[in-house]
Amino acid sequence: MMKRIVVTGIGIVAPAGTGKRPFWANIKNGRSFVRAITRFDASKYPSRIAGQIEDLDAYSHLSERLLKKIDTFSHLALIASEQALQDAKIDVQKENPNNIGIFMGNAIGGWLYAETELRDLYMEGREGVSPYMASAWFPAAPQGQVSIYYGIKGFSKTVVSDRASSLMAIGYAKKTLEKDRLDFILAGGMEAPVTPYALLCCNSYGALSANNADPQAAYRPFDEKRDGFVIGEGAGIMIMESEERARKRGAHISAYVSGYGATCDGVDRIKADASGRQLARAIKIALQGAGIKPREIDYICLDGAATVDGDTSEINAIKDVFAEKAATIPVSAPKTMLGNLLGASGAVDIIITILAMENSMLPPMVNLKEPVKGADLNFIRDKGVAREINNALVISRGRGGINSALILKKA
Amino acid sequence: MEIETQVKDMIVKLLGLRNANIDTGAKLYEGIGVDSTEMVEIRIALEKEFGVKLDEKEISKFQSIKDIAAIIGSKKA
């Protein structure tokens, strides 16, 4: 009998709020948190808007001594991890550290630290570079910092898979727990791309919205006026463990992670394959793993790339899998309110979907006024809609045809 | 100001320590948990401050502030 894997704790640090209560209040009410970037001179960037967190220090529990050694993306991960552990009522000191894992994903690493130190390298030479640079920027740094902070010593993984990074990390966490290799896992993702160089790179590949005049209306997947997505910063971390262990310790179970699938298009270096065939296959693998039929899905949290190939392939994949039911299943892309958190987007979408299940309310998307031809899905727009959600699908994709899908079941 | 006090103040500032009352006779690693990377930062700062060259093998986290001050003092003499 395969172990059933559950979520027992949630930590969220996002433009739409820090902590699950304020975060969910903003999401269900359709409030947009996309703003102009003002923390550096972004005036020459084609896209200069983002979902940003302005009050990170207010939520921080970290010492100055640690903060000077780490990039913002590790800071985000440490705050979200602390929240998740508290939410799950777990005291790490009372657990076996060898049996705790950390499975986290991000797409680009920690650039604010890297940029600052690289500038010093060229201005002052090697003596001007902080020794912490060596360990602050690389994608596995948050995993390392979380393990050091709590003394966690179990099997862990950092997944770097563009925007699909954190959903994949959660998928791997599920597989690892099913094999009974660990007691519990801190799983999710983090991203801090609102920096001069990271924004430049994101702009370079031409998928960002240039609607700077109206930031809150800029991110509009499936809409006639779409022109790309908007970046955002934040972290979403969950505590995952077996149902058996959760019940034994009397934990509150938020949801079951019941199915996971991942595939590659293998077609283009950047663009998704418009047919959506491989995304459909990833969804089918996830459904099979969850042991449910397509008709049992009550809600789909969309990837919502807001590009022609991204939106087209996603619609095609949904129509392929759900056939005549595709037009009626409620779908939305809540990330339109907070920006696309790149490697952290999948984890945040999973958290939104779990909160939606717990609150029996479909989360909305904003800015969809006139769906493009063919986008004849049941979009939940502007405000949450009260509805029981028993099974939900979350889609997360990355550049170059990376597809991942995860199924959640109501607890 | 004597070298020992200067070294102590510099380490307190560099590490962002709230409590400045550190034992100058305790090993840096045992006394305030200085790690290898922090030691690199401390060494570079000391070289700049005192205008001396400090070999990585000469000073380490297994020495005290007193030990390090003595090494700097002997180099400046």
Side-chain angles (χ1 to χ4, degrees), chain A residues 87-106:
Chain A
D87 193 39
K89 296 184 170 58
I90 288 175
D91 178 356
V92 175
Q93 303 316 313
K94 292 178 180 160
E95 303 282 342
N96 179 348
N98 298 329
N99 294 343
I100 308 169
I102 303 160
F103 281 55
M104 294 182 181
N106 65 87

Side-chain angles (χ1 to χ4, degrees), chain A residues 259-266 273 275-289 313-314 316-322 393 395 397 401-407:
Chain A
Y260 167 69
T263 62
C264 299
D265 288 349
D273 172 14
S275 77
R277 205 168 296 123
Q278 291 305 321
L279 174 58
R281 196 166 67 87
I283 296 168
K284 287 171 187 171
I285 294 167
L287 287 164
Q288 194 178 8
S313 57
E314 191 163 26
N316 287 341
I318 288 167
K319 288 180 176 178
D320 176 344
V321 175
F322 297 95
L393 162 68
I395 297 170
R397 295 182 302 162
I402 298 165
N403 306 301
S404 65
L406 190 128
I407 310 284

